[in-house]
Amino acid sequence: EPEVTQTPSHQVTQMGQEVILRCVPISNHLYFYWYRQILGQKVEFLVSFYNNEISEKSEIFDDQFSVERPDGSNFTLKIRSTKLEDSAMYFCASTMEGLLGGNTIYFGEGSWLTVV
Amino acid sequence: AQSVTQPDIHITVSEGASLELRCNYSYGATPYLFWYVQSPGQGLQLLLKYFSGDTLVQGIKGFEAEFKRSQSSFNLRKPSVHWSDAAEYFCAVGSNDYKLSFGAGTTVTVRA
């Protein structure tokens, strides 16, 4: 079965440092997403990306966050200046078409970010 | 705005017993409903989804869920649990093309 792959699986960074989390969505998918899960809390939507632009973002996704699809395969999440509260598991996801088309959203295994 | 409530934070069941996980949603239109499972250290795996049609949905690993519009519920069931079903289970609702809203999750412990 095709899968979404994420790197790194775990990263420890110092507060104030920039972090880039990388994702390779499923190859024929068109919609891409980032979600995060702070330890012990629910999975939260961060941002969706379609047609090379952000289609929706949550209030969490402030100016410290950015996303990019630098080439035909990668989808990245950048946190410019990390804060302690950014420590979380970050999930990348993709769908072939939008959710309302009955499509399944496939999640990667996550990148665990620890900010110290 | 849509929201999902999973009333049970933690459920313990014996291996071989039945399991039911509750999910209630709040959404004004026809919801698109999902159940995901997360094993320790793993990502989110889709168990099943409901978009329309038959309100009883079959999923992977022997799970099923029933959509009840009158109760705004989408409860997940399994007739006989296996030790490997120990995990965290998330109910989610999709309201547009771009976003899923997740419940807080229910942790399932299976005792021998």
Side-chain angles (χ1 to χ4, degrees):
Chain A
E1 182 174 279
E3 58 181 24
V4 176
T5 57
Q6 290 186 239
T7 54
S9 57
H10 189 191
Q11 182 164 351
V12 180
T13 189
Q14 291 204 327
M15 193 167 51
Q17 294 297 303
E18 176 183 283
V19 162
I20 297 176
L21 304 179
R22 292 182 168 80
C23 170
V24 180
I26 295 171
S27 62
N28 60 346
H29 284 190
L30 301 176
Y31 291 73
F32 314 112
Y33 313 84
W34 284 100
Y35 286 75
R36 80 171 185 189
Q37 183 183 28
I38 295 172
L39 188 63
Q41 298 186 22
K42 66 172 65 177
V43 178
E44 302 172 289
F45 169 79
L46 289 179
V47 66
S48 59
F49 191 85
Y50 171 69
N51 200 26
N52 284 317
E53 61 182 20
I54 291 174
S55 44
E56 186 167 348
K57 61 182 181 180
S58 71
E59 60 276 9
I60 303 168
F61 194 87
D62 61 21
D63 291 344
Q64 291 299 311
F65 291 90
S66 63
V67 289
E68 191 177 34
R69 188 156 163 82
D71 53 44
S73 60
N74 290 284
F75 179 53
T76 61
L77 174 69
K78 182 192 289 185
I79 309 174
R80 287 191 183 81
S81 178
T82 51
K83 303 188 277 280
L84 293 176
E85 54 265 36
D86 294 328
S87 295
M89 177 76 92
Y90 288 82
F91 291 106
C92 176
S94 68
T95 57
M96 185 181 303
E97 296 176 5
L99 294 178
L100 300 187
N103 291 278
T104 297
I105 179 169
Y106 292 89
F107 285 85
E109 294 204 342
S111 293
W112 183 249
L113 176 65
T114 302
V115 182
V116 297
Chain B
Q2 70 278 7
S3 66
V4 176
T5 302
Q6 293 181 247
D8 304 304
I9 297 173
H10 191 186
I11 287 180
T12 299
V13 293
S14 298
E15 191 168 17
S18 64
L19 174 68
E20 180 167 14
L21 303 181
R22 294 184 290 165
C23 172
N24 294 99
Y25 67 89
S26 172
Y27 183 59
T30 301
Y32 297 84
L33 297 160
F34 306 78
W35 275 100
Y36 283 86
V37 61
Q38 183 182 29
S39 298
Q42 301 296 309
L44 297 164
Q45 182 182 24
L46 180 71
L47 286 175
L48 46 78
K49 62 184 180 183
Y50 171 79
F51 280 77
S52 64
D54 194 346
T55 56
L56 184 63
V57 180
Q58 301 297 320
I60 63 171
K61 303 186 180 187
F63 285 93
E64 66 177 25
E66 186 171 13
F67 170 59
K68 293 185 177 180
R69 184 186 299 276
S70 61
Q71 298 177 19
S72 298
S73 69
F74 188 57
N75 295 347
L76 181 72
R77 298 192 293 255
K78 185 168 183 177
S80 177
V81 298
H82 186 261
W83 65 265
S84 60
D85 294 322
E88 188 155 21
Y89 293 79
F90 293 94
C91 182
V93 61
S95 59
N96 62 22
D97 258 354
Y98 308 121
K99 184 170 75 173
L100 287 179
S101 296
F102 284 83
T106 299
T107 301
V108 173
T109 299
V110 180
R111 58 176 175 231

